[in-house]
Amino acid sequence: VKRFAKKLMKQDLLDFVGTDGHRKTERTPDMGKCCLQMIKTMGEDYTREILIKNPRKITGYWREKDGKSDKRKSGSGNRLR
């Protein structure tokens, strides 16, 4: 799966990343590892596009650089905002 995901990224065929995590105690998603691997493989700009910008486009969440035009409250302290 990791090799296939890397191939999708290299061919610019990835738009979003999802998890199959269901509970806090079982099968918890580890998006931190995913984020770090994406940065290592493709860089911060690409990772920001896939993990932050693309999901915001479909959820309606957006934020201007000055932070004043939030459509929704910002989430946790994600460094890729």
Side-chain angles (χ1 to χ4, degrees):
V1 173
K2 289 179 186 180
R3 204 169 34 227
F4 181 66
K6 193 172 189 176
K7 186 176 180 178
L8 290 175
M9 287 189 287
K10 295 281 186 182
Q11 294 180 7
D12 199 24
L13 297 173
L14 186 69
D15 292 314
F16 303 94
V17 172
T19 72
D20 66 348
H22 299 279
R23 297 179 188 87
K24 290 182 179 180
T25 57
E26 299 175 37
R27 294 174 59 188
T28 57
D30 191 348
M31 290 300 292
K33 282 184 184 179
C34 173
C35 180
L36 292 174
Q37 186 61 44
M38 287 180 73
I39 290 171
K40 181 180 172 184
T41 304
M42 300 298 292
E44 281 196 27
D45 290 339
Y46 177 87
T47 303
R48 185 177 295 108
E49 188 76 24
I50 301 301
L51 297 181
I52 307 297
K53 291 182 180 180
N54 287 349
R56 286 181 178 175
K57 289 176 187 175
I58 63 167
T59 62
Y61 178 93
W62 56 274
R63 180 176 171 160
E64 290 183 6
K65 288 183 181 182
D66 64 6
K68 293 180 182 177
S69 297
D70 290 351
K71 204 169 181 184
R72 297 183 189 178
K73 291 182 181 177
S74 59
S76 62
N78 188 321
R79 72 182 188 99
L80 288 176
R81 279 190 203 161

